[in-house]
Amino acid sequence: MPSISLRLPAMLRALRHRNYRLLFFGQLISITGVWMQATAQGWLVNRLSDSPFWLGMVAAAQSLPVIFLSLLAGAVADRLPKRKLLLITQSTAMVGALLLAALTFTHIVQVWMVLILALVLGIASAFEGPARQAFTIELVGREDLLNAIGLDSMMFNGARVIGPAVAGIVILTIGEGPAFLWNGISFIAVLVGLLMMRLPPFTSPLPQNRAAQMREGVGYIVRDPQIRLLMLQLAVLCTFCLAYIPLLPAFASKVLGGDARTFGGLASSNAAGALVAALMIAALGDRLPRVRLRTFALLIYSLVLTAFTLSRDVPLSMLLIALVGWCGITSLTLSNTLLQMIVPNELRGRVM
């Protein structure tokens, strides 16, 4: 696996791998645009519909393909070059962002258009997620996997801090369109990074029926008690504890009586808490009591989230939503690491 002999702090050691560096810095630029779009899209739907129902519908359109297609996407990721899959999915997301920008700039955008584009993005995300997660270990190896996952989380949540805050200002001054346009342009960085990678020739596994592949993945999850418990905990977490995210625009405007800057502040505070968790894991990952810390984060998640829903004070709400972000990323990152360390290479795409 290609790497360089740079003297890097332990916290950054995964960056010694050239291919991982290309992906990391490409995504660092791109994901900032993604979070700008997510913030602007939520506020656009809130402005057009003035309804939490449509906020939930757009979030569902973007999430349901991930639920229903991810197992198929994992089987595809286990059989095809992951770089090719990522190039296709990132290009699809770029076209969708540019189209949404054009619709917004021309003032013809309607909620149903946003809904359709969210569905397309959800389909792309369903295939991008397993491919990207299974690709990480191929780029850095097992010895740097936890550090790479921590750096990914740090980069992802650093972009979550910057993106919503910038988007809130942009929306108030010049509208939602520029946020969508920047997101579309920013995908160029990750596409160039993927194309610049030097990878060994891809060896396709032996031909196998797609349905049999998916059954094999599900069977492995059901039979292995560790994997089964991790997946059940993640299912509960993602079903019941992440539903607040698409409703933040309505919470900011209707509950706290704020505007786009309030919404951007809540989203950035949530990301700041997540960023602290990611920094902690990247810096101390090998020395952390992973299972106990993950259990602690899972246990207090619901308590902090409940307190946030009861708050009517903006500064207190920002503090509580930051704690929610810390709990969420700590739980998800450590669960991701445990899964990737346990699952064999030939099943990793389907399980992830």
Side-chain angles (χ1 to χ4, degrees):
M1 187 169 296
S3 63
I4 60 171
S5 56
L6 285 178
R7 290 186 178 180
L8 293 171
M11 183 177 173
L12 304 174
R13 66 181 184 273
L15 291 175
R16 64 195 176 95
H17 302 272
R18 177 183 181 274
N19 289 336
Y20 178 73
R21 286 200 311 279
L22 289 169
L23 183 63
F24 179 87
F25 288 113
Q27 287 195 312
L28 181 63
I29 297 170
S30 174
I31 291 177
T32 301
V34 168
W35 281 106
M36 287 184 67
Q37 169 156 331
T39 305
Q41 178 177 287
W43 194 257
L44 176 65
V45 173
N46 190 56
R47 177 172 65 81
L48 293 174
S49 69
D50 193 31
S51 168
F53 170 79
W54 284 109
L55 286 170
M57 287 297 293
V58 171
Q62 201 160 316
S63 301
L64 287 175
V66 178
I67 295 173
F68 292 112
L69 296 177
S70 282
L71 191 58
L72 171 63
V76 173
D78 284 335
R79 295 191 57 79
L80 296 179
K82 296 174 183 63
R83 175 169 60 177
K84 179 183 291 187
L85 280 177
L86 291 174
L87 285 168
I88 293 170
T89 57
Q90 297 299 287
S91 298
T92 301
M94 179 175 70
V95 171
L98 293 175
L99 181 56
L100 185 55
L103 292 171
T104 306
F105 279 126
T106 54
H107 304 290
I108 62 174
V109 66
Q110 298 181 41
V111 173
W112 67 267
M113 300 175 183
V114 182
L115 191 73
I116 292 174
L117 289 172
L119 181 64
V120 172
L121 180 59
I123 294 171
S125 297
F127 286 86
E128 185 265 347
R132 176 176 48 79
Q133 292 184 74
F135 199 29
T136 302
I137 196 170
E138 295 182 11
L139 299 180
V140 302
R142 286 182 175 271
E143 69 279 4
D144 289 332
L145 177 62
L146 178 58
N147 181 249
I149 292 174
L151 287 176
D152 283 346
S153 184
M154 181 174 67
M155 171 259 296
F156 183 82
N157 290 291
R160 281 181 66 196
V161 174
I162 299 169
V166 173
I169 297 170
V170 170
I171 292 167
L172 276 179
T173 53
I174 51 179
E176 300 92 354
F180 303 140
L181 178 61
W182 169 251
N183 183 40
I185 294 171
S186 71
F187 278 108
I188 295 173
V190 71
L191 292 173
V192 169
L194 287 166
L195 291 170
M196 289 178 63
M197 286 182 181
R198 294 195 290 264
L199 298 171
F202 176 74
T203 303
S204 178
L206 294 174
Q208 188 178 7
N209 180 271
R210 189 65 49 78
Q213 280 187 296
M214 291 190 285
R215 285 196 301 270
E216 184 183 13
V218 173
Y220 173 77
I221 293 169
V222 172
R223 289 191 304 271
D224 190 295
Q226 285 182 293
I227 299 296
R228 188 170 65 242
L229 178 61
L230 283 168
M231 297 293 272
L232 285 172
Q233 290 174 332
L234 283 169
V236 171
L237 174 67
C238 294
T239 302
F240 298 106
C241 294
L242 298 183
Y244 72 90
I245 295 175
L247 297 177
L248 277 181
F251 192 88
S253 61
K254 299 180 183 299
V255 178
L256 297 179
D259 54 19
R261 278 178 295 193
T262 309
F263 170 41
L266 287 174
S268 292
S269 297
N270 182 244
L275 179 60
V276 170
L279 287 167
M280 178 188 69
I281 292 169
L284 305 173
D286 292 334
R287 300 191 294 277
L288 288 173
R290 300 177 195 174
V291 176
R292 282 181 295 181
L293 180 61
R294 176 178 165 276
T295 302
F296 172 76
L298 285 170
L299 288 174
I300 68 168
Y301 197 127
S302 59
L303 298 177
V304 180
L305 184 57
T306 300
F308 168 73
T309 64
L310 297 174
S311 171
R312 297 298 179 267
D313 179 73
V314 173
L316 178 60
S317 296
M318 288 186 176
L319 174 62
L320 290 170
I321 202 69
L323 292 173
V324 169
W326 183 90
C327 293
I329 291 303
T330 299
S331 305
L332 291 171
T333 301
L334 293 178
S335 298
N336 188 334
T337 303
L338 290 169
L339 281 171
Q340 294 218 40
M341 296 297 287
I342 297 170
V343 177
N345 291 342
E346 64 274 12
L347 289 167
R348 186 168 290 110
R350 279 161 282 180
V351 174
M352 298 313 298

